[in-house]
Amino acid sequence: LYDAFTQVHQTNWTDFHGNAYFLPWHRWFVWVHSEAMASECGYTGPTPYWNYSMDYKNPFASPIFSTDETGFGSHGRQKLNVSGLVGFKVDNGPFANLKVNLPIPHYLMRNFSAWKDIDKTGEWGYALGEAFSPKEVARALSAKKFIDLEAIIDGYNVTNFMGLHNGPHFFNSGDWLGPAWLNGTSWFPQGSTAPNDPIFWNHHAYIDNIFWTWQQKPGKQWLFNGNTVFWNQTDDSARPTDLLPFYGLGPNPPVALALKTENWPLCYTY
């Protein structure tokens, strides 16, 4: 079942990234994961989110990367290259020596120095933190239209698509980075392995929290518009009746069903 989430996320991943479906699709995805945690693992707590804007000056000092039972571990010490998959084996914390299976069986990998290759001029600060600073969160929350919110979160019209969503993906090279990690391998560009890393869920729960906070503003709750085609900003054909694809992980819900978390079947709030 763990692998099923990664498999769904990498199936035709451009259908729900870089377009209007990104926010409602990932909201539903995180919720399905929380339902699986409850039904399959007996977990009865909330879905925790990581407000990484609080850690933007030094993300790696965040308690989330601590090696005790409350953290997710760091990037480890042993450098690995598994058929072109390069990174450091996570060998500490609760997920030490975790083996994942996509695109091939390997130890969970991270690399917390990779951001230096992405931002050689230092434009985005230490570990790309300026991409997800409180200032950027405030800018997202000031968006007038839904697609404006999506554009800020996903880094439309920004070099390397840097933004509130991609910044945390990009400061790490390894499973959590997603498609770019597979560049130069036979799995690129189809693969998107980010859910292999358990921190994916805390990351995306915070993106959902930003989305939810924006929706609490007057007149924003049911707003939805934008592009259906990957990175095509001339398109504005997305509609609330469009179906979100989940490739057998569950039903394909209409966007409208994911626009209010307090309504059935999501039934949660922040």
Side-chain angles (χ1 to χ4, degrees), residues 63-98:
I64 203 167
F65 295 120
S66 67
T67 58
D68 61 25
E69 63 181 10
T70 63
F72 283 68
S74 67
H75 75 174
R77 296 176 294 274
Q78 182 182 355
K79 193 171 185 177
L80 297 178
N81 185 331
V82 183
S83 298
L85 306 179
V86 179
F88 290 87
K89 170 187 171 184
V90 176
D91 60 3
N92 56 69
F95 302 104
N97 306 313
L98 175 66

Side-chain angles (χ1 to χ4, degrees), residues 1-256:
L1 181 58
Y2 193 88
D3 294 333
F5 284 93
T6 300
Q7 178 59 37
V8 166
H9 189 263
Q10 70 178 6
T11 301
N12 300 329
W13 64 270
T14 56
D15 287 351
F16 44 87
H17 288 84
N19 59 27
Y21 304 130
F22 173 78
L23 290 170
W25 191 95
H26 283 82
R27 168 176 284 177
W28 195 270
F29 192 49
V30 171
W31 173 73
V32 171
H33 179 264
S34 71
E35 291 291 290
M37 288 284 289
S39 63
E40 302 299 321
C41 306
Y43 178 68
T44 58
T47 298
Y49 64 86
W50 171 31
N51 181 349
Y52 43 83
S53 72
M54 296 176 64
D55 300 313
Y56 81 102
K57 290 186 177 180
N58 185 0
F60 306 132
S62 171
I64 203 167
F65 295 120
S66 67
T67 58
D68 61 25
E69 63 181 10
T70 63
F72 283 68
S74 67
H75 75 174
R77 296 176 294 274
Q78 182 182 355
K79 193 171 185 177
L80 297 178
N81 185 331
V82 183
S83 298
L85 306 179
V86 179
F88 290 87
K89 170 187 171 184
V90 176
D91 60 3
N92 56 69
F95 302 104
N97 306 313
L98 175 66
K99 289 186 175 180
V100 292
N101 295 304
L102 295 172
I104 56 173
H106 64 281
Y107 287 106
L108 178 65
M109 294 190 208
R110 297 178 184 144
N111 181 353
F112 289 168
S113 62
W115 61 272
K116 298 174 184 177
D117 295 325
I118 295 176
D119 185 25
K120 295 182 184 299
T121 65
E123 176 185 359
W124 296 100
Y126 183 74
L128 312 179
E130 294 298 332
F132 46 89
S133 68
K135 179 180 177 181
E136 286 301 297
V137 175
R139 191 165 73 90
L141 294 178
S142 70
K144 301 300 183 184
K145 297 188 298 183
F146 171 86
I147 197 58
D148 297 335
L149 174 70
E150 157 60 15
I152 294 170
I153 287 177
D154 231 8
Y156 287 28
N157 300 318
V158 178
T159 302
N160 292 327
F161 310 113
M162 199 66 69
L164 287 164
H165 165 237
N166 286 325
H169 278 298
F170 291 172
F171 72 55
N172 157 76
S173 181
D175 290 274
W176 188 17
L177 178 56
W181 182 51
L182 305 176
N183 194 12
T185 73
S186 60
W187 301 290
F188 182 83
Q190 288 79 17
S192 183
T193 59
N196 278 345
D197 195 324
I199 208 169
F200 171 93
W201 305 104
N202 308 81
H203 172 195
H204 272 276
Y206 181 53
I207 291 296
D208 185 53
N209 173 266
I210 295 172
F211 180 22
W212 180 91
T213 302
W214 180 82
Q215 289 183 304
Q216 305 316 299
K217 294 178 178 292
K220 305 295 190 189
Q221 184 71 71
W222 301 105
L223 292 187
F224 179 76
N225 74 295
N227 56 311
T228 63
V229 180
F230 186 62
W231 294 127
N232 183 353
Q233 296 176 61
T234 64
D235 173 29
D236 191 27
S237 60
R239 298 292 181 268
T241 52
D242 296 344
L243 298 182
L244 300 171
F246 280 91
Y247 309 105
L249 188 65
N252 299 332
V255 169

